Amino acid sequence: MISYPFGIEDPFKGLFVEPGDFYKTMTADSNIRAENISYPTVTIYPIVVDYRRTVKEMIRAGKYSDTHDIAPRNYPVPQEKIGRVLNYKMGPFFLNTRPIKSRQVLNGFKKIGAIPSQLPELLALGEQHPELQNQFPIVALEAVEHCFIREWVVFLGGCRVARGLYTTSCYFQRWDDMPWRFAAILPENFLISGEKLIKAFHSSR
C-alpha cells in the first residue's frame, strides 16, 4: 500500500507495467526484464550531503511538489554526522526482478559493503539528481517510521509533471508491484555487474 494525499490520484498510474505483467515484460532500457533478457546496468551517482542542514531544510532544498506524511522530527540526522559535509557514491539499485523482501535487500547490501540510505542521503540524491525519481521510485530502507502496526518507509517518486516524497508500508511485505530502486551508499572501490548484483541479493535470506 502506498500513501498519497487525500483526493490525489496515484501519480504512477499508467507509467509502469501492471503487476501481473511485471515479470514477463521489459522496458526499453532494460529496467524490467523477463527471463533470459540482459540484466540492468549498475549506474553510480555522486552526491554531497550537507549535514549542517536540518531535515526540514533538506526537504525544502529538493523543491518537491509534495511531501505527504513526511514529518522531519521522525527522521533525525545521525549525531556523528551533524555539522559535516560528506561526499558519497550512491547506487539506486534495481533488485526486484522477482519478489524481494526488505530483509533480503539489507542483507545483500551488507554482502557488497554498501550502507542502506537514510533520509538525508535520499534527499541529497533527489536534490542533486532530480530526474531520477521521474523514471522510477527510489526507496531509503533506513528512513522508517514506526506507526501503529506498520512500518512506513520513505521513497522518492514522481511523474511527468511532479516530484515528491511519499511513504509506503511495503517494508515488511514483498517489493514486487513496481520497479523499485533501493538507495545505498557505496564503498570507494565498488565494482559489480548488474547480473552479479541481482543474484547476490536474491540469494540473501
Side-chain angles (χ1 to χ4, degrees):
M1 176 182 176
I2 300 172
S3 174
Y4 301 112
F6 178 78
I8 301 297
E9 293 186 1
D10 182 353
F12 303 109
K13 187 175 181 180
L15 295 183
F16 302 115
V17 295
E18 294 299 317
D21 297 328
F22 183 76
Y23 304 107
K24 57 186 178 183
T25 309
M26 72 176 278
T27 61
D29 62 355
S30 297
N31 287 336
I32 305 171
R33 70 170 183 85
E35 291 300 322
N36 302 319
I37 295 177
S38 61
Y39 291 82
T41 301
V42 174
T43 305
I44 297 173
Y45 298 89
I47 62 168
V48 179
V49 187
D50 187 352
Y51 294 100
R52 297 172 301 183
R53 298 190 295 190
T54 65
V55 169
K56 187 174 182 179
E57 290 171 333
M58 294 178 186
I59 292 174
R60 189 182 304 118
K63 299 179 180 178
Y64 303 103
S65 55
D66 180 37
T67 56
H68 179 57
D69 281 352
I70 307 299
R73 65 181 179 277
N74 296 326
Y75 306 95
V77 175
Q79 190 65 37
E80 68 276 10
K81 294 182 178 180
I82 292 176
R84 304 178 66 186
V85 178
L86 299 177
N87 294 276
Y88 296 121
K89 294 192 299 184
M90 202 161 188
F93 294 128
F94 175 67
L95 301 171
N96 57 321
T97 53
R98 53 184 181 270
I100 190 169
K101 295 182 178 180
S102 296
R103 182 184 69 251
Q104 288 176 265
V105 178
L106 294 171
N107 289 343
F109 279 151
K110 186 175 181 179
K111 287 170 63 175
I112 66 173
I115 301 172
S117 173
Q118 296 182 321
L119 186 57
E121 297 87 53
L122 185 73
L123 293 173
L125 183 70
E127 177 187 354
Q128 295 160 37
H129 302 278
E131 74 287 351
L132 293 180
Q133 67 188 94
N134 288 337
Q135 301 173 39
F136 36 70
I138 306 171
V139 180
L141 283 177
E142 288 295 329
V144 181
E145 179 182 0
H146 307 275
C147 184
F148 300 106
I149 61 173
R150 290 186 174 178
E151 309 290 321
W152 295 90
V153 62
V154 180
F155 71 97
L156 295 172
C159 60
R160 297 178 182 90
V161 295
R163 295 168 48 249
L165 282 172
Y166 302 99
T167 57
T168 175
S169 60
C170 290
Y171 189 83
F172 283 122
Q173 303 173 33
R174 297 192 306 177
W175 300 89
D176 60 357
D177 60 339
M178 287 197 297
W180 300 98
R181 293 295 211 277
F182 299 91
I185 297 171
L186 307 177
E188 283 298 317
N189 60 348
F190 181 82
L191 182 64
I192 190 171
S193 70
E195 179 178 2
K196 289 183 179 179
L197 180 76
I198 288 176
K199 288 183 176 179
F201 277 76
H202 281 281
S203 65
S204 299
R205 293 292 184 268

Short mmCIF file of all heavy atoms in Angstrom, two decimals, residues 26-71:
data_model
loop_
_atom_site.label_atom_id
_atom_site.label_comp_id
_atom_site.label_asym_id
_atom_site.label_seq_id
_atom_site.Cartn_x
_atom_site.Cartn_y
_atom_site.Cartn_z
N MET A 26 9.70 -6.12 -20.33
CA MET A 26 10.87 -5.30 -20.06
C MET A 26 10.69 -3.96 -20.73
O MET A 26 10.06 -3.85 -21.77
CB MET A 26 12.16 -5.97 -20.54
CG MET A 26 12.37 -6.01 -22.05
SD MET A 26 13.95 -6.72 -22.51
CE MET A 26 15.03 -5.32 -22.31
N THR A 27 11.22 -2.92 -20.14
CA THR A 27 11.15 -1.61 -20.74
C THR A 27 12.28 -1.44 -21.73
O THR A 27 13.17 -2.26 -21.85
CB THR A 27 11.28 -0.53 -19.65
OG1 THR A 27 12.55 -0.68 -19.01
CG2 THR A 27 10.18 -0.63 -18.62
N ALA A 28 12.25 -0.32 -22.44
CA ALA A 28 13.25 -0.09 -23.48
C ALA A 28 14.67 -0.05 -22.93
O ALA A 28 15.62 -0.40 -23.61
CB ALA A 28 12.94 1.22 -24.21
N ASP A 29 14.84 0.38 -21.67
CA ASP A 29 16.18 0.48 -21.12
C ASP A 29 16.52 -0.68 -20.19
O ASP A 29 17.45 -0.61 -19.40
CB ASP A 29 16.38 1.80 -20.36
CG ASP A 29 15.44 1.92 -19.16
OD1 ASP A 29 14.59 1.03 -18.98
OD2 ASP A 29 15.58 2.90 -18.41
N SER A 30 15.75 -1.75 -20.28
CA SER A 30 16.01 -2.97 -19.52
C SER A 30 15.84 -2.80 -18.02
O SER A 30 16.40 -3.55 -17.25
CB SER A 30 17.42 -3.53 -19.82
OG SER A 30 17.53 -3.90 -21.16
N ASN A 31 15.07 -1.81 -17.58
CA ASN A 31 14.82 -1.67 -16.15
C ASN A 31 13.99 -2.85 -15.64
O ASN A 31 14.11 -3.25 -14.50
CB ASN A 31 14.06 -0.38 -15.86
CG ASN A 31 14.96 0.83 -16.00
OD1 ASN A 31 16.17 0.70 -15.87
ND2 ASN A 31 14.38 1.98 -16.26
N ILE A 32 13.12 -3.35 -16.50
CA ILE A 32 12.30 -4.50 -16.15
C ILE A 32 12.65 -5.61 -17.13
O ILE A 32 12.76 -5.38 -18.31
CB ILE A 32 10.80 -4.17 -16.27
CG1 ILE A 32 10.48 -2.94 -15.41
CG2 ILE A 32 9.94 -5.34 -15.85
CD1 ILE A 32 9.09 -2.42 -15.63
N ARG A 33 12.84 -6.81 -16.63
CA ARG A 33 13.29 -7.84 -17.54
C ARG A 33 12.47 -9.12 -17.40
O ARG A 33 11.95 -9.41 -16.34
CB ARG A 33 14.75 -8.18 -17.30
CG ARG A 33 14.99 -8.90 -16.00
CD ARG A 33 16.42 -9.42 -15.92
NE ARG A 33 16.60 -10.17 -14.70
CZ ARG A 33 16.30 -11.45 -14.54
NH1 ARG A 33 15.77 -12.13 -15.54
NH2 ARG A 33 16.49 -12.05 -13.38
N ALA A 34 12.40 -9.88 -18.45
CA ALA A 34 11.89 -11.23 -18.41
C ALA A 34 13.08 -12.16 -18.32
O ALA A 34 14.23 -11.74 -18.41
CB ALA A 34 11.08 -11.52 -19.68
N GLU A 35 12.84 -13.44 -18.11
CA GLU A 35 13.94 -14.39 -18.06
C GLU A 35 14.69 -14.38 -19.39
O GLU A 35 14.12 -14.19 -20.45
CB GLU A 35 13.42 -15.80 -17.76
CG GLU A 35 12.87 -15.93 -16.34
CD GLU A 35 13.93 -15.64 -15.28
OE1 GLU A 35 15.10 -16.02 -15.49
OE2 GLU A 35 13.59 -15.02 -14.27
N ASN A 36 16.00 -14.60 -19.30
CA ASN A 36 16.87 -14.69 -20.48
C ASN A 36 17.06 -13.34 -21.19
O ASN A 36 17.48 -13.31 -22.34
CB ASN A 36 16.35 -15.73 -21.47
CG ASN A 36 16.24 -17.10 -20.85
OD1 ASN A 36 17.11 -17.50 -20.08
ND2 ASN A 36 15.16 -17.80 -21.16
N ILE A 37 16.72 -12.24 -20.53
CA ILE A 37 16.96 -10.91 -21.09
C ILE A 37 18.05 -10.24 -20.27
O ILE A 37 18.18 -10.49 -19.07
CB ILE A 37 15.67 -10.07 -21.08
CG1 ILE A 37 14.65 -10.72 -22.01
CG2 ILE A 37 15.93 -8.64 -21.51
CD1 ILE A 37 13.31 -10.02 -22.05
N SER A 38 18.86 -9.42 -20.89
CA SER A 38 20.02 -8.85 -20.23
C SER A 38 19.68 -8.12 -18.95
O SER A 38 18.61 -7.52 -18.81
CB SER A 38 20.74 -7.88 -21.19
OG SER A 38 19.88 -6.83 -21.54
N TYR A 39 20.60 -8.15 -18.00
CA TYR A 39 20.41 -7.51 -16.71
C TYR A 39 20.60 -6.00 -16.82
O TYR A 39 21.32 -5.53 -17.68
CB TYR A 39 21.42 -8.07 -15.69
CG TYR A 39 21.15 -9.50 -15.32
CD1 TYR A 39 21.59 -10.54 -16.13
CD2 TYR A 39 20.45 -9.81 -14.16
CE1 TYR A 39 21.34 -11.87 -15.79
CE2 TYR A 39 20.21 -11.14 -13.81
CZ TYR A 39 20.65 -12.16 -14.63
OH TYR A 39 20.40 -13.45 -14.29
N PRO A 40 19.98 -5.24 -15.90
CA PRO A 40 20.15 -3.79 -15.95
C PRO A 40 21.57 -3.38 -15.62
O PRO A 40 22.29 -4.08 -14.91
CB PRO A 40 19.16 -3.29 -14.88
CG PRO A 40 18.99 -4.45 -13.96
CD PRO A 40 19.08 -5.67 -14.82
N THR A 41 21.98 -2.25 -16.13
CA THR A 41 23.31 -1.72 -15.86
C THR A 41 23.35 -1.08 -14.48
O THR A 41 22.40 -0.46 -14.05
CB THR A 41 23.67 -0.65 -16.91
OG1 THR A 41 23.62 -1.25 -18.20
CG2 THR A 41 25.07 -0.10 -16.67
N VAL A 42 24.46 -1.29 -13.78
CA VAL A 42 24.65 -0.64 -12.48
C VAL A 42 25.19 0.76 -12.72
O VAL A 42 26.27 0.94 -13.27
CB VAL A 42 25.63 -1.45 -11.60
CG1 VAL A 42 25.91 -0.69 -10.31
CG2 VAL A 42 25.07 -2.83 -11.31
N THR A 43 24.44 1.76 -12.33
CA THR A 43 24.84 3.15 -12.51
C THR A 43 25.09 3.78 -11.14
O THR A 43 24.29 3.62 -10.23
CB THR A 43 23.75 3.96 -13.24
OG1 THR A 43 23.45 3.31 -14.48
CG2 THR A 43 24.23 5.37 -13.52
N ILE A 44 26.21 4.49 -11.00
CA ILE A 44 26.60 5.10 -9.74
C ILE A 44 26.48 6.62 -9.85
O ILE A 44 26.89 7.21 -10.85
CB ILE A 44 28.03 4.71 -9.36
CG1 ILE A 44 28.11 3.18 -9.15
CG2 ILE A 44 28.50 5.44 -8.10
CD1 ILE A 44 29.51 2.67 -8.93
N TYR A 45 25.92 7.24 -8.81
CA TYR A 45 25.70 8.69 -8.81
C TYR A 45 26.45 9.33 -7.64
O TYR A 45 26.26 8.92 -6.49
CB TYR A 45 24.21 9.00 -8.70
CG TYR A 45 23.40 8.48 -9.85
CD1 TYR A 45 22.86 7.19 -9.81
CD2 TYR A 45 23.19 9.25 -10.98
CE1 TYR A 45 22.13 6.69 -10.88
CE2 TYR A 45 22.45 8.76 -12.05
CZ TYR A 45 21.93 7.48 -12.00
OH TYR A 45 21.20 6.98 -13.06
N PRO A 46 27.27 10.34 -7.89
CA PRO A 46 27.93 11.06 -6.79
C PRO A 46 26.95 12.02 -6.13
O PRO A 46 26.12 12.65 -6.80
CB PRO A 46 29.05 11.83 -7.50
CG PRO A 46 28.51 12.06 -8.89
CD PRO A 46 27.67 10.85 -9.22
N ILE A 47 27.02 12.12 -4.82
CA ILE A 47 26.19 13.09 -4.09
C ILE A 47 27.03 13.76 -3.00
O ILE A 47 28.05 13.21 -2.56
CB ILE A 47 24.95 12.44 -3.43
CG1 ILE A 47 25.35 11.39 -2.39
CG2 ILE A 47 24.01 11.87 -4.46
CD1 ILE A 47 24.20 10.93 -1.52
N VAL A 48 26.62 14.94 -2.60
CA VAL A 48 27.22 15.65 -1.47
C VAL A 48 26.10 15.88 -0.46
O VAL A 48 25.07 16.48 -0.79
CB VAL A 48 27.83 17.00 -1.91
CG1 VAL A 48 28.42 17.72 -0.69
CG2 VAL A 48 28.87 16.80 -2.99
N VAL A 49 26.30 15.38 0.76
CA VAL A 49 25.27 15.53 1.80
C VAL A 49 25.75 16.57 2.81
O VAL A 49 26.79 16.40 3.45
CB VAL A 49 24.99 14.20 2.51
CG1 VAL A 49 23.80 14.37 3.47
CG2 VAL A 49 24.68 13.10 1.50
N ASP A 50 24.99 17.63 2.94
CA ASP A 50 25.31 18.71 3.87
C ASP A 50 24.54 18.49 5.18
O ASP A 50 23.39 18.87 5.30
CB ASP A 50 24.94 20.06 3.26
CG ASP A 50 25.40 21.24 4.10
OD1 ASP A 50 25.87 21.01 5.23
OD2 ASP A 50 25.29 22.39 3.63
N TYR A 51 25.21 17.84 6.13
CA TYR A 51 24.56 17.54 7.41
C TYR A 51 24.52 18.75 8.34
O TYR A 51 24.08 18.63 9.48
CB TYR A 51 25.30 16.38 8.10
CG TYR A 51 25.20 15.07 7.36
CD1 TYR A 51 26.25 14.62 6.56
CD2 TYR A 51 24.06 14.28 7.47
CE1 TYR A 51 26.18 13.41 5.88
CE2 TYR A 51 23.98 13.06 6.80
CZ TYR A 51 25.03 12.63 6.01
OH TYR A 51 24.96 11.43 5.34
N ARG A 52 24.97 19.91 7.85
CA ARG A 52 24.79 21.15 8.62
C ARG A 52 23.34 21.60 8.54
O ARG A 52 22.90 22.41 9.37
CB ARG A 52 25.73 22.23 8.09
CG ARG A 52 27.22 21.89 8.23
CD ARG A 52 28.08 22.91 7.52
NE ARG A 52 27.77 22.96 6.08
CZ ARG A 52 28.42 23.73 5.21
NH1 ARG A 52 29.42 24.50 5.63
NH2 ARG A 52 28.08 23.72 3.93
N ARG A 53 22.63 21.10 7.53
CA ARG A 53 21.22 21.47 7.37
C ARG A 53 20.33 20.52 8.15
O ARG A 53 20.67 19.35 8.37
CB ARG A 53 20.82 21.43 5.89
CG ARG A 53 21.60 22.39 5.03
CD ARG A 53 21.02 22.49 3.62
NE ARG A 53 21.13 21.24 2.87
CZ ARG A 53 20.87 21.14 1.56
NH1 ARG A 53 20.47 22.22 0.88
NH2 ARG A 53 20.98 19.99 0.95
N THR A 54 19.20 21.01 8.57
CA THR A 54 18.20 20.15 9.20
C THR A 54 17.48 19.35 8.10
O THR A 54 17.56 19.69 6.91
CB THR A 54 17.18 20.97 9.98
OG1 THR A 54 16.44 21.79 9.04
CG2 THR A 54 17.86 21.86 11.01
N VAL A 55 16.77 18.31 8.51
CA VAL A 55 15.99 17.53 7.55
C VAL A 55 14.96 18.41 6.86
O VAL A 55 14.72 18.30 5.65
CB VAL A 55 15.32 16.33 8.24
CG1 VAL A 55 14.31 15.67 7.31
CG2 VAL A 55 16.37 15.32 8.69
N LYS A 56 14.36 19.31 7.62
CA LYS A 56 13.37 20.23 7.04
C LYS A 56 14.00 21.09 5.95
O LYS A 56 13.41 21.31 4.88
CB LYS A 56 12.78 21.11 8.13
CG LYS A 56 11.63 22.00 7.67
CD LYS A 56 11.01 22.74 8.85
CE LYS A 56 9.83 23.59 8.40
NZ LYS A 56 9.20 24.30 9.57
N GLU A 57 15.23 21.56 6.18
CA GLU A 57 15.93 22.36 5.18
C GLU A 57 16.30 21.52 3.96
O GLU A 57 16.26 21.99 2.82
CB GLU A 57 17.18 22.99 5.80
CG GLU A 57 16.87 24.09 6.81
CD GLU A 57 18.10 24.53 7.57
OE1 GLU A 57 19.05 23.72 7.72
OE2 GLU A 57 18.11 25.68 8.04
N MET A 58 16.67 20.27 4.18
CA MET A 58 16.99 19.36 3.08
C MET A 58 15.77 19.12 2.20
O MET A 58 15.86 19.09 0.97
CB MET A 58 17.52 18.03 3.61
CG MET A 58 18.84 18.10 4.34
SD MET A 58 19.32 16.47 4.98
CE MET A 58 20.79 16.88 5.91
N ILE A 59 14.62 18.94 2.84
CA ILE A 59 13.39 18.73 2.08
C ILE A 59 13.05 19.98 1.26
O ILE A 59 12.70 19.88 0.08
CB ILE A 59 12.22 18.38 3.03
CG1 ILE A 59 12.45 16.99 3.66
CG2 ILE A 59 10.89 18.40 2.29
CD1 ILE A 59 11.42 16.62 4.72
N ARG A 60 13.19 21.14 1.87
CA ARG A 60 12.90 22.39 1.17
C ARG A 60 13.83 22.57 -0.03
O ARG A 60 13.40 23.02 -1.11
CB ARG A 60 13.03 23.57 2.12
CG ARG A 60 12.52 24.90 1.53
CD ARG A 60 12.73 26.06 2.49
NE ARG A 60 12.10 25.80 3.78
CZ ARG A 60 12.77 25.73 4.93
NH1 ARG A 60 14.08 25.89 4.95
NH2 ARG A 60 12.13 25.50 6.06
N ALA A 61 15.10 22.19 0.13
CA ALA A 61 16.07 22.34 -0.96
C ALA A 61 15.75 21.46 -2.15
O ALA A 61 16.13 21.76 -3.29
CB ALA A 61 17.47 22.03 -0.44
N GLY A 62 15.03 20.36 -1.91
CA GLY A 62 14.68 19.46 -3.00
C GLY A 62 13.57 19.96 -3.90
O GLY A 62 13.36 19.41 -4.98
N LYS A 63 12.86 20.99 -3.46
CA LYS A 63 11.80 21.61 -4.25
C LYS A 63 10.76 20.59 -4.72
O LYS A 63 10.39 20.53 -5.89
CB LYS A 63 12.39 22.36 -5.44
CG LYS A 63 13.33 23.48 -5.05
CD LYS A 63 13.92 24.19 -6.26
CE LYS A 63 14.87 25.30 -5.84
NZ LYS A 63 15.49 25.98 -7.00
N TYR A 64 10.31 19.76 -3.79
CA TYR A 64 9.32 18.74 -4.11
C TYR A 64 7.92 19.35 -4.17
O TYR A 64 7.59 20.25 -3.39
CB TYR A 64 9.35 17.62 -3.06
CG TYR A 64 10.71 16.99 -2.93
CD1 TYR A 64 11.55 17.30 -1.86
CD2 TYR A 64 11.19 16.10 -3.89
CE1 TYR A 64 12.80 16.74 -1.74
CE2 TYR A 64 12.45 15.54 -3.79
CZ TYR A 64 13.24 15.86 -2.72
OH TYR A 64 14.50 15.32 -2.61
N SER A 65 7.13 18.84 -5.07
CA SER A 65 5.76 19.33 -5.18
C SER A 65 4.86 18.76 -4.10
O SER A 65 3.79 19.29 -3.81
CB SER A 65 5.19 18.98 -6.56
OG SER A 65 5.29 17.59 -6.82
N ASP A 66 5.31 17.66 -3.46
CA ASP A 66 4.52 17.05 -2.40
C ASP A 66 5.46 16.35 -1.43
O ASP A 66 6.43 15.70 -1.83
CB ASP A 66 3.52 16.05 -2.99
CG ASP A 66 2.69 15.38 -1.90
OD1 ASP A 66 2.34 16.07 -0.92
OD2 ASP A 66 2.41 14.18 -2.02
N THR A 67 5.20 16.49 -0.14
CA THR A 67 5.97 15.79 0.89
C THR A 67 5.00 15.12 1.86
O THR A 67 5.14 15.20 3.07
CB THR A 67 6.89 16.76 1.66
OG1 THR A 67 6.08 17.83 2.22
CG2 THR A 67 7.94 17.37 0.74
N HIS A 68 4.05 14.43 1.33
CA HIS A 68 2.97 13.83 2.10
C HIS A 68 3.50 12.89 3.17
O HIS A 68 4.33 12.02 2.91
CB HIS A 68 2.04 13.06 1.15
CG HIS A 68 0.92 12.37 1.85
ND1 HIS A 68 0.01 13.03 2.64
CD2 HIS A 68 0.56 11.06 1.87
CE1 HIS A 68 -0.86 12.17 3.11
NE2 HIS A 68 -0.56 10.97 2.66
N ASP A 69 3.01 13.08 4.40
CA ASP A 69 3.28 12.20 5.53
C ASP A 69 4.73 12.23 6.01
O ASP A 69 5.12 11.41 6.82
CB ASP A 69 2.92 10.74 5.20
CG ASP A 69 1.43 10.48 5.31
OD1 ASP A 69 0.71 11.38 5.78
OD2 ASP A 69 0.99 9.39 4.93
N ILE A 70 5.55 13.15 5.52
CA ILE A 70 6.94 13.20 5.95
C ILE A 70 7.07 14.22 7.08
O ILE A 70 6.99 15.42 6.85
CB ILE A 70 7.88 13.58 4.79
CG1 ILE A 70 7.65 12.66 3.59
CG2 ILE A 70 9.33 13.52 5.25
CD1 ILE A 70 7.91 11.20 3.86
N ALA A 71 7.26 13.74 8.29
CA ALA A 71 7.44 14.60 9.45
C ALA A 71 8.93 14.58 9.81
O ALA A 71 9.43 13.57 10.29
CB ALA A 71 6.61 14.10 10.63
#
